[in-house]
Amino acid sequence: MADIVGGYFTSHVPGIGGAIVRGDQQQPYWKPFFDGYPPIRAWLAEAQPDVAVVFYNDHGLNFFLDKMPTFAVGAAASYDNADEGWGLPVYKSFTGHPELSWHIIEELVASEFDITTCQKMLVDHALSIPFELVYPDAPAWPIRLVPIAINTVQYPLPSPKRCLALGRAVAKALRSWTGAERVLVVGTGGLSHQLDGPRAGFMNPDYDRFCLDHLAADPDALTRHSAEDVAELAGTQGVEILNWIAARGALGDGPLSEVTRNYHIPISNTAAASLVLEPA
Amino acid sequence: MTMASAEVRRRPPIPGTTLFDGGMARRGFALNAMCYSFNDAASREAFRADEDGYCRKFALTPEQRKAVADRDVLAMIEAGGNVYYLAKLAGIFGLNVQDLGSLQTGMSLDDFKAHLVAQRAKIAPDMVVSTGMENA
């Protein structure tokens, strides 16, 4: 049985990548956001995960509208980043864990999740920036990767309820894995933000607070909303909370304690947050 | 709003918001396909060198072509553009997401940025915003 060390949740705003390139971490605009990460680095140094199961959404690097899976599980030996077209650096590649990926795939389908499997898969800033934030000086990523992409682009999106169930099915798969890996579960994106339309710039700290306060102890509270409700409450890109909800499910049903959280408005157009939960 | 998307939608519309559903995805396919091509630096260069020819290659609809020519973000969205892909086109024009926000809301760039910062005031005074910093 894999040992789940905990869950790391974070925004993945592309602008963070630009700030890192410029070395702006201590600038007044960025400092309140970056200050959330030293506690997470300290926690990771103790927890020593060696594989990360990451729920994220692709922003038009690997998936286009010609083929848009609702849930896609990576099963590759390695995952490259690539030019996303808007000037971010190309990030380090990840080493995969195909054996664990295929175990999760087998178990998810056995749990009646009809997922897409990807033996080739580019991963975008939504996957790289969370690791740039917590392993800023690593010459190579110290963890192997199992990426799980959730469609947050094209409606119908999976419901929060379905995403939580997906995560719980991943938790079940991790329980039946015979390896001794130390697994970090990651959910990326959010919190509230909207880039498009006349409502661009919308944020909703009250909904973000509801999510932050309920994710650990009562994640089912987040499933009373439809994906469309979440778009109204959190903004059209705030639906990335679906990644957090799925990741929460993958932490299993045991009690969790909050290690650290940070919430700041604004980073770019986004209400940005980081959070770590660990088994109590 | 396309007929198709109106049929698919089962809830009241969200003010100032277009949900990118099947109707929009069908309507916007050519424009989004062009934007997706801009992951490739050579494609961005080809667009810069011959915008009209590049748009023809992707068979943009007249509505989409006009929206791109006018740098009209709201019209691009109306024509089925999805912001995840449009952001790659915006990058060619040197526009970031604050610029897009300014263009879509009609605020000046400075006013839009101030609008983003002002939302900090919506954080309830008793919300726990930072914990665990003593462990760093």
Side-chain angles (χ1 to χ4, degrees):
Chain A
M1 176 172 149
D3 184 8
I4 297 179
V5 302
Y8 161 43
F9 305 82
T10 181
S11 301
H12 62 217
V13 181
I16 298 165
I20 292 171
V21 169
R22 295 189 303 272
D24 281 352
Q25 291 91 333
Q26 295 303 312
Q27 295 298 315
Y29 180 88
W30 291 100
K31 187 175 177 355
F33 169 75
F34 280 97
D35 279 352
Y37 294 88
I40 301 176
R41 290 175 206 147
W43 176 79
L44 284 169
E46 289 284 320
Q48 290 284 322
D50 45 37
V51 56
V53 176
V54 184
F55 297 86
Y56 77 108
N57 59 291
D58 180 82
H59 299 67
L61 179 65
N62 189 71
F63 296 116
F64 180 58
L65 303 171
D66 56 343
K67 307 172 195 70
M68 181 56 69
T70 299
F71 299 127
V73 182
S78 67
Y79 301 91
D80 294 337
N81 181 225
D83 188 346
E84 296 183 47
W86 47 40
L88 283 178
V90 173
Y91 292 108
K92 294 188 283 286
S93 298
F94 289 85
T95 301
H97 193 323
E99 299 80 11
L100 180 57
S101 286
W102 282 110
H103 173 75
I104 290 172
I105 289 162
E106 294 273 359
E107 292 297 312
L108 284 177
V109 175
S111 298
E112 301 184 338
F113 281 89
D114 304 318
I115 44 152
T116 298
T117 61
C118 301
Q119 289 206 69
K120 281 189 72 170
M121 190 177 189
L122 293 170
V123 294
D124 73 2
H125 68 274
L127 225 147
S128 298
I129 284 177
F131 293 99
E132 289 286 336
L133 284 164
V134 294
Y135 298 121
D137 304 316
W141 301 125
I143 47 90
R144 299 168 76 185
L145 176 67
V146 176
I148 302 179
I150 297 178
N151 166 32
T152 66
V153 175
Q154 176 183 274
Y155 289 76
L157 308 184
S159 67
K161 182 181 173 190
R162 187 67 172 158
C163 291
L164 184 62
L166 172 79
R168 284 174 171 156
V170 170
K172 181 164 172 271
L174 292 173
R175 281 197 297 275
S176 67
W177 174 248
T178 54
E181 282 83 350
R182 296 177 61 75
V183 178
L184 174 69
V185 174
V186 184
T188 91
L191 291 179
S192 59
H193 65 300
Q194 176 154 340
L195 303 179
D196 51 319
R199 200 173 73 141
F202 172 80
M203 295 174 221
N204 185 352
D206 288 337
Y207 177 72
D208 294 337
R209 175 189 191 172
F210 166 76
C211 293
L212 287 165
D213 287 351
H214 287 86
L215 197 69
D218 184 17
D220 291 282
L222 278 67
T223 69
R224 289 174 205 137
H225 297 119
S226 68
E228 290 82 359
D229 292 338
V230 175
E232 180 155 31
L233 288 163
T236 41
Q237 282 68 49
V239 295
E240 291 168 348
I241 191 71
L242 293 175
N243 303 321
W244 288 46
I245 293 170
R248 169 61 189 88
L251 292 173
D253 294 329
L256 299 172
S257 60
E258 183 173 317
V259 175
T260 183
R261 84 156 74 167
N262 190 41
Y263 180 76
H264 177 67
I265 287 179
I267 286 302
S268 188
N269 293 22
T270 301
S274 55
L275 175 72
V276 170
L277 304 176
E278 67 179 0
Chain B
M1 192 76 52
T2 62
M3 190 73 84
S5 60
E7 284 165 5
V8 168
R9 196 145 314 146
R10 294 183 185 87
R11 68 193 306 289
I14 303 167
T17 302
T18 302
L19 292 185
F20 188 75
D21 61 11
M24 297 309 288
R26 289 168 63 192
R27 183 173 187 170
F29 194 88
L31 174 59
N32 291 315
M34 182 177 82
C35 293
Y36 181 64
S37 78
F38 296 142
N39 283 332
D40 179 33
S43 299
R44 300 196 290 273
E45 198 44 52
F47 176 89
R48 284 193 193 94
D50 178 11
E51 178 174 326
D52 208 39
Y54 200 82
C55 290
R56 264 201 312 278
K57 185 176 143 193
F58 280 85
L60 265 55
T61 66
E63 178 194 19
Q64 290 168 348
R65 180 67 192 102
K66 181 173 187 321
V68 172
D70 294 347
R71 312 306 193 234
D72 184 339
V73 182
L74 290 177
M76 291 180 210
I77 289 172
E78 179 67 25
N82 178 284
V83 74
Y84 285 120
Y85 307 107
L86 293 178
K88 300 172 196 291
L89 173 64
I92 295 177
F93 300 148
L95 304 173
N96 64 26
V97 290
Q98 282 86 55
D99 296 311
L100 293 184
S102 161
L103 289 168
Q104 294 176 97
T105 57
M107 297 182 201
S108 71
L109 181 58
D110 284 345
D111 284 352
F112 185 72
K113 287 181 174 174
H115 168 65
L116 296 172
V117 171
Q119 301 205 45
R120 200 176 295 154
K122 297 197 305 195
I123 299 174
D126 61 338
M127 177 178 175
V128 176
V129 292
S130 292
T131 63
M133 301 308 172
E134 66 283 0
N135 299 324

